[in-house]
Amino acid sequence: MISFTEENYLKAIYHLIEQEGEAVTTNAIAEKINTKAASVTDMLKKLSDKKLINYQKYQGVTLTPKGEKTALNIIRKQRLWEMFLVEKLDFKWDEVHDAAEQLEHIKSDKLIEQLDKFLNYPKVDPHGDPIPDAKGRLQIQKSHLLSKFKKNDVCIMTGVVDHSPAFLQYLDKSGITLGNEIKIKEIIEFDRSLQIITGRQKTIFISNDVAKNILVIAK
Amino acid sequence: MISFTEENYLKAIYHLIEQEGEAVTTNAIAEKINTKAASVTDMLKKLSDKKLINYQKYQGVTLTPKGEKTALNIIRKQRLWEMFLVEKLDFKWDEVHDAAEQLEHIKSDKLIEQLDKFLNYPKVDPHGDPIPDAKGRLQIQKSHLLSKFKKNDVCIMTGVVDHSPAFLQYLDKSGITLGNEIKIKEIIEFDRSLQIITGRQKTIFISNDVAKNILVIAK
DNA sequence: ATATTATTTTAGACTAGTCTAAAAGTTATT
DNA sequence: AATAACTTTTAGACTAGTCTAAAATAATAT
């Protein structure tokens, strides 16, 4: 039986690998999980004993197939619960984090399969992140950063990089929503900030920092 | 902050007081929670320090107002989640226990208030047990044991004493459901077993043991 | 009223997870 | 190649919750 804490470590490792693309360091995990490096080392030994990660002293970690499957299952649960909170309980997309963090650890296969059905088998969560299926398979959607696009390009918003409530609230206020069309009206050379037209035909200005945290697909 | 384990102790103590009507013994708690008396003693000290129970060595425990409020809040969450599982996710009434046991410890006021609303403010859970309101108030329904009734009495089923899956499945099979009308056709003197007519006009035989675990109100 | 039995508490030990401080290993700099 | 700087691991300690075995208290029976 895998513990609450072990699950959190696996999820953190999964996300770090996803971001960095290679073996994850002890320090990176410590920072992500808000704990100390020494604690991480202890846990890495345990996860290694359970064959959930590949770990050798000082060499960083990767997930074994078993570890990755476990991580994806937790992410599946997290994203389905987020969907439930937003769709059925009227949470905003910036409010779901804390409750979903707890709900993702509930152990009941029947519960999660029925929840999936109840939500009508959603493919992405309220932030546009893909929901792994029951076998841990991810539908890869190859989104790009809005900051990579050029003047007059038109695209559809599909997700965010930064998931913080502050950023999500800013997007809400600016009328930038999942599924919305975004047209690039102008790019200011000096600071790479953008002038864009949102779905409801309003022109707004966003900084390059913001554009680097918005995921889109070309239209 | 109150821990998962402390919550389980409070809930157990609440139910024991409810059943026995007086101060609860260490052994009773140990049995209920499936642990050893020594562990219970340790926890009682902690709960007492936190002013959740009234406890003096060798004298058993009762709940303080604060402790009772906390217990009722956990029970509220448990029963709302059970309702959700049965009403929205198609669980049977004998399948909800394990998942609800975990869900009841999720900490999020908004979540539970929205869930209550989503379920349309139910007054009782799928077993007929009353759901405390947000302030911990219980709507007392004074049900009686079916075994206390007489020949030709007619009543409505409102709940069960034994919540075990085996018993609940037996009731399902016998067509005895919450809200159903039950008419007592005959009482066998010898063993106090009953012949009853259920909602769908079928006559069935039940033992006195069974009748002692069915709650009803007179019609 | 005392002895027996049952219950409850204490004492001390164990596990999971965490921490600090020190030691060991790795990487970067000169 | 040697030293400095940084990262990671070990060692030892702490907390929450659990346990067994023994001691203390209460209840029961003679």
Side-chain angles (χ1 to χ4, degrees):
Chain A
M1 185 50 48
I2 181 157
S3 77
F4 187 102
T5 312
E6 289 166 339
E7 289 190 346
N8 279 338
Y9 273 91
L10 287 178
K11 195 178 67 155
I13 294 167
Y14 180 91
H15 285 311
L16 288 168
I17 291 176
E18 196 182 29
Q19 253 176 57
E20 315 298 340
E22 43 182 305
V24 179
T25 66
T26 303
N27 262 358
I29 299 169
E31 193 183 354
K32 182 114 190 171
I33 256 175
N34 235 308
T35 182
K36 294 298 152 74
S39 312
V40 174
T41 301
D42 288 346
M43 182 55 86
L44 293 182
K45 283 182 200 157
K46 204 166 11 142
L47 293 174
S48 184
D49 287 348
K50 292 197 178 182
K51 314 266 185 239
L52 291 162
I53 60 171
N54 305 114
Y55 170 60
Q56 281 171 137
K57 279 193 195 180
Y58 299 103
Q59 306 305 261
V61 281
T62 55
L63 292 170
T64 63
K66 187 178 162 196
E68 180 168 318
K69 212 185 136 194
T70 308
L72 281 165
N73 191 248
I74 303 158
I75 290 166
R76 168 175 165 76
K77 292 197 272 183
Q78 182 205 122
R79 292 182 178 164
L80 282 173
W81 279 117
E82 287 185 354
M83 204 62 187
F84 169 71
L85 294 174
V86 168
E87 294 274 293
K88 306 294 181 182
L89 301 195
D90 298 324
F91 276 57
K92 307 249 185 57
W93 68 342
D94 60 288
E95 293 177 325
V96 297
H97 185 269
D98 292 359
E101 191 90 331
Q102 300 174 63
L103 288 162
E104 75 193 12
H105 299 290
I106 302 289
K107 280 164 185 65
S108 165
D109 290 342
K110 171 152 189 172
L111 171 53
I112 210 66
E113 292 325 312
Q114 290 296 106
L115 183 63
D116 195 15
K117 184 179 171 188
F118 182 58
L119 297 171
N120 217 244
Y121 307 104
K123 291 272 173 297
V124 294
D125 80 2
H127 309 105
D129 297 314
I131 300 176
D133 71 16
K135 274 158 195 134
R137 281 178 306 223
L138 265 179
Q139 203 126 343
I140 352 92
Q141 47 161 173
K142 36 192 183 342
S143 294
H144 306 279
L145 299 180
L146 178 57
S147 57
K148 291 283 165 66
F149 284 68
K150 296 189 195 61
K151 181 169 171 175
N152 293 322
D153 282 351
V154 179
C155 49
I156 306 286
M157 188 198 172
T158 57
V160 292
V161 178
D162 180 350
H163 284 62
S164 70
F167 184 60
L168 298 175
Q169 281 160 24
Y170 164 77
L171 293 182
D172 271 345
K173 225 178 298 169
S174 310
I176 301 174
T177 335
L178 230 54
N180 249 204
E181 191 176 294
I182 295 175
K183 182 173 176 183
I184 300 184
K185 197 169 156 190
E186 196 62 63
I187 302 179
I188 315 302
E189 284 295 324
F190 171 63
D191 59 357
R192 312 262 330 136
S193 67
L194 311 178
Q195 207 175 332
I196 62 175
I197 305 173
T198 67
R200 11 169 162 134
Q201 306 310 319
K202 285 203 108 186
T203 297
I204 60 167
F205 294 86
I206 61 173
S207 70
N208 184 257
D209 271 358
V210 166
K212 279 196 290 199
N213 279 292
I214 296 177
L215 291 165
V216 297
I217 50 170
K219 198 185 174 186
Chain B
M1 185 50 50
I2 181 158
S3 77
F4 187 103
T5 312
E6 289 166 339
E7 289 190 346
N8 279 337
Y9 272 90
L10 286 178
K11 195 178 68 157
I13 294 167
Y14 180 91
H15 285 312
L16 288 168
I17 291 176
E18 195 181 30
Q19 253 175 55
E20 315 297 342
E22 41 181 304
V24 179
T25 66
T26 303
N27 262 358
I29 298 169
E31 193 183 355
K32 182 115 190 169
I33 257 176
N34 235 307
T35 183
K36 294 297 153 72
S39 312
V40 175
T41 300
D42 288 346
M43 182 55 86
L44 294 183
K45 281 181 200 158
K46 208 176 353 155
L47 293 175
S48 184
D49 288 348
K50 293 196 177 181
K51 315 266 186 240
L52 292 162
I53 59 171
N54 304 114
Y55 169 62
Q56 281 169 138
K57 279 193 196 182
Y58 298 103
Q59 306 305 244
V61 281
T62 56
L63 292 169
T64 62
K66 186 178 163 196
E68 180 168 318
K69 210 185 138 195
T70 308
L72 281 165
N73 190 246
I74 303 157
I75 290 166
R76 168 174 164 76
K77 291 197 272 182
Q78 183 205 125
R79 292 182 179 164
L80 282 173
W81 280 116
E82 287 184 354
M83 205 60 187
F84 169 71
L85 294 175
V86 168
E87 294 274 295
K88 305 294 182 183
L89 302 195
D90 298 324
F91 276 57
K92 308 252 184 55
W93 69 343
D94 60 288
E95 293 176 326
V96 298
H97 186 269
D98 292 0
E101 191 89 331
Q102 300 175 64
L103 289 161
E104 75 193 13
H105 299 290
I106 302 289
K107 281 165 184 65
S108 165
D109 290 342
K110 171 152 188 172
L111 171 52
I112 209 66
E113 292 325 312
Q114 290 296 105
L115 184 64
D116 195 15
K117 183 179 172 189
F118 182 57
L119 297 170
N120 216 243
Y121 307 104
K123 290 271 175 296
V124 294
D125 80 3
H127 309 105
D129 297 314
I131 301 177
D133 72 15
K135 274 159 195 134
R137 283 178 305 225
L138 265 178
Q139 204 126 342
I140 354 91
Q141 48 161 171
K142 36 188 183 341
S143 294
H144 306 279
L145 299 180
L146 178 58
S147 56
K148 292 282 166 67
F149 283 67
K150 295 188 195 62
K151 182 168 170 174
N152 291 324
D153 281 350
V154 180
C155 48
I156 306 286
M157 188 197 172
T158 57
V160 291
V161 178
D162 180 350
H163 284 62
S164 70
F167 183 61
L168 298 176
Q169 281 159 25
Y170 163 79
L171 293 182
D172 272 342
K173 225 179 297 169
S174 310
I176 302 174
T177 334
L178 230 55
N180 249 203
E181 191 176 293
I182 295 175
K183 182 173 179 182
I184 299 184
K185 198 169 156 188
E186 195 62 62
I187 300 179
I188 316 301
E189 285 293 327
F190 171 64
D191 60 357
R192 313 262 329 135
S193 68
L194 311 178
Q195 209 175 329
I196 62 174
I197 305 173
T198 67
R200 11 169 162 134
Q201 306 310 319
K202 286 204 106 185
T203 297
I204 61 167
F205 295 86
I206 62 173
S207 70
N208 184 257
D209 272 356
V210 166
K212 280 197 290 199
N213 280 291
I214 296 177
L215 291 165
V216 297
I217 50 169
K219 196 185 176 185

